[in-house]
Amino acid sequence: MVGDAIAYDDILVPTDGSKAAERAVEQAVELAAESGGTVHALYVMNVGDADFMVTPSDIAETKERLQKKGARFLDAATDRAEQAGVECVTATKSGIPEDEILDYAREHGVDLVVMGRRGRSDPDKPLIGSTTKRVLGKTDVPVRVV
């Protein structure tokens, strides 16, 4: 722990590649560097938000596209953490984003969740995006909204 700062052992940062998520990754890495913690970067494939899905082959194609996209976002988070000398664990889940975020936080004993206030799927929301708002309303884990 540095000064009077709170030490976090495990910091979860969900990422969707949005600018807000990129800033959340930056802050999660900074906090982990200050406290000697680990960053957990999580990408949730929300297949329901896909551009189109008509047939099973469309679904498979969409999942493959989302996995590739998520891998890029997680690689970027890992690179940022490595540059700061911070351990980074990555995971990809499929499902309803807020449920997967909350499940991951519980399963891994996360001390803090750092999230962007708006993600890719809700850029026009006025203040806090729907996923972030639902996570805030359903968890006892501290959430830092970036």
Side-chain angles (χ1 to χ4, degrees), residues 97-107 134-135 138-139:
E98 63 269 14
D99 292 344
E100 296 300 326
I101 292 165
L102 294 166
D103 288 347
Y104 188 96
R106 275 189 296 273
E107 291 168 9
R134 286 191 292 267
V135 168
K138 294 181 180 180
T139 186

Side-chain angles (χ1 to χ4, degrees), residues 117-136:
R117 67 183 176 132
R118 289 190 300 238
R120 278 195 187 280
S121 64
D122 51 11
D124 296 324
K125 296 282 192 294
L127 179 59
I128 296 179
S130 56
T131 298
T132 301
K133 187 175 182 179
R134 286 191 292 267
V135 168
L136 282 166

Side-chain angles (χ1 to χ4, degrees), residues 3 8 13 32 39 45 47 59 64 66 70-71 75 81 85 87 91-92 96 104 111 120 124-125 143:
Y8 299 105
V13 60
V39 169
M45 294 187 300
V47 180
I59 293 170
E64 183 178 336
L66 290 174
D75 287 347
E87 181 181 355
T92 300
I96 299 168
Y104 188 96
D111 304 308
R120 278 195 187 280
D124 296 324
K125 296 282 192 294
V143 178

